[in-house]
Amino acid sequence: MPSWEGKSKGNKLGYSIFIGTLRYGGVLPAYVLLRFVAAYYFLFSYSSSRPIFQYFHTRVGHGWWRSLLSVYRNYYVFGQVLIDKVVVMSGIRNRFTFEFEGEQYLREITAAGKGGIMLSAHLGNWEVAGHLFRRLETRINIVMFDGEHERIKKYLSSVTGERNVNIIVIKDDLSHIYAINEALSNQELVCMHADRFLEGNKTVTASFLGADARFPAGPFLLAATFRVPVSLVFAFKETSSHYHLYATQPREYHGRRRQGVETAVQDFVHELEAMVKKYPEQWFNYYDFWEIPEDK
């Protein structure tokens, strides 16, 4: 499957069990329970295990057995970052610490008074980073697909409260473009992922980890069209209780729009590769990211 299907896994019962464990036992017991859940997905979720195994074996370069172990580790870390998201956003007592490398770059964007774009990927824990962006003292807008099941979203909102950011939902009628334009005109920050797309969306192809892969054209087209500062932002779990956040020096993509898009894509892919190599087990795209249809 060359594109993401737009929906998140999980169900209300699973979320409620983990949240109950967090409330009454804390983070550590939730992590212990998670080992069994990760083992279940490792053993029985072939549709996601196959492409993530190929990622470790073919793209990262691990041997067969190490790739197999990395699949389990990937599921476990993914579960940890989901738990951490709930903990941080709901205010459950924890011992998390954070290091923010490049925060001054985001402050430069807000101080410039032009608005700005932050691009990231499904790598690491974006939700933790987004929750901490309130320190920038400016309005944050996150652009996303409305892919979670509605009842799960409502349940999580009842636990964590509403996000302290404005959500701009991507819609077929392109109304999200006007919302983004309004946010930037108001000198606000707009955040979006630049690694997933739904089938039928416009894409750009770039060499990534040794093979061609498709990326959504939209985020890069917006960067070239609005010509506001763009920073690439990531957050990674380095220990059970410590996160490392990164932001790159902002850049504006001037010139003809096509040229701006190509430059933005290359910058993004270059930084994404560096981060994947540094944190390979925190890649959370569970489909064949590098599959290119024959007619492309």
Side-chain angles (χ1 to χ4, degrees), residues 20-281:
T21 303
L22 286 169
R23 280 176 167 169
Y24 298 106
V27 175
L28 184 58
Y31 282 0
V32 173
L33 176 61
L34 177 62
R35 291 194 176 276
F36 297 96
V37 176
Y40 172 83
Y41 277 97
F42 174 74
L43 294 172
F44 300 109
S45 187
Y46 176 78
S47 62
S48 58
S49 294
R50 182 190 60 80
I52 203 69
F53 174 86
Q54 290 298 326
Y55 154 75
F56 283 117
H57 188 51
T58 305
R59 302 298 158 211
V60 179
H62 289 347
W64 199 90
W65 285 108
R66 186 179 177 187
S67 296
L68 201 63
L69 179 62
S70 293
V71 171
Y72 170 78
R73 176 65 181 168
N74 174 266
Y75 282 137
Y76 180 62
V77 175
F78 182 51
Q80 284 185 313
V81 302
L82 292 178
I83 288 172
D84 296 350
K85 174 183 72 173
V86 173
V87 169
V88 171
M89 295 179 66
S90 61
I92 295 175
R93 188 168 57 183
N94 63 81
R95 296 183 179 180
F96 292 144
T97 58
F98 302 90
E99 176 184 356
F100 204 155
E101 185 176 333
E103 181 176 4
Q104 72 274 17
Y105 295 138
L106 300 183
R107 293 195 178 277
E108 286 177 11
I109 294 177
T110 59
K114 297 174 57 177
I117 293 175
M118 294 188 291
L119 298 182
S120 191
H122 292 83
L123 176 71
N125 195 349
W126 164 258
E127 287 282 2
V128 165
H131 193 68
L132 295 176
F133 286 156
R134 61 186 175 185
R135 303 192 320 189
L136 299 175
E137 300 176 352
T138 189
R139 184 176 171 87
I140 308 293
N141 301 269
I142 296 183
V143 182
M144 62 173 58
F145 292 103
D146 195 22
E148 287 184 295
H149 296 298
E150 194 63 32
R151 63 192 183 100
I152 295 176
K153 284 173 53 182
K154 289 181 179 178
Y155 178 72
L156 286 176
S157 293
S158 70
V159 175
T160 64
E162 294 299 322
R163 290 180 171 94
N164 63 327
V165 296
N166 179 51
I167 303 299
I168 299 176
V169 178
I170 297 175
K171 297 181 178 180
D172 292 336
D173 62 4
L174 300 182
S175 59
H176 59 281
I177 302 296
Y178 298 100
I180 292 170
N181 181 47
E182 182 179 1
L184 294 175
S185 298
N186 292 332
Q187 303 174 8
E188 299 168 2
L189 293 178
V190 175
C191 317
M192 65 189 83
H193 286 125
D195 61 330
R196 285 185 186 175
F197 62 92
L198 294 176
E199 195 60 45
N201 292 161
K202 291 183 178 180
T203 61
V204 291
T205 301
S207 179
F208 174 54
L209 293 179
D212 285 345
R214 289 194 293 167
F215 295 84
F220 309 107
L221 184 59
L222 289 172
T225 300
F226 290 110
R227 298 185 179 183
V228 295
V230 178
S231 179
L232 311 182
V233 180
F234 304 93
F236 298 98
K237 188 176 181 69
E238 293 193 328
T239 70
S240 61
S241 60
H242 181 73
Y243 274 90
H244 194 147
L245 288 71
Y246 298 86
T248 65
Q249 186 169 1
R251 179 175 181 182
E252 294 185 27
Y253 295 96
H254 295 295
R256 290 179 298 178
R257 195 164 63 178
R258 180 175 178 181
Q259 180 183 354
V261 169
E262 292 176 352
T263 304
V265 171
Q266 291 304 316
D267 285 352
F268 178 76
V269 170
H270 175 77
E271 191 68 24
L272 188 63
E273 275 194 342
M275 291 298 173
V276 168
K277 290 175 181 177
K278 193 171 185 178
Y279 302 94
E281 292 179 344

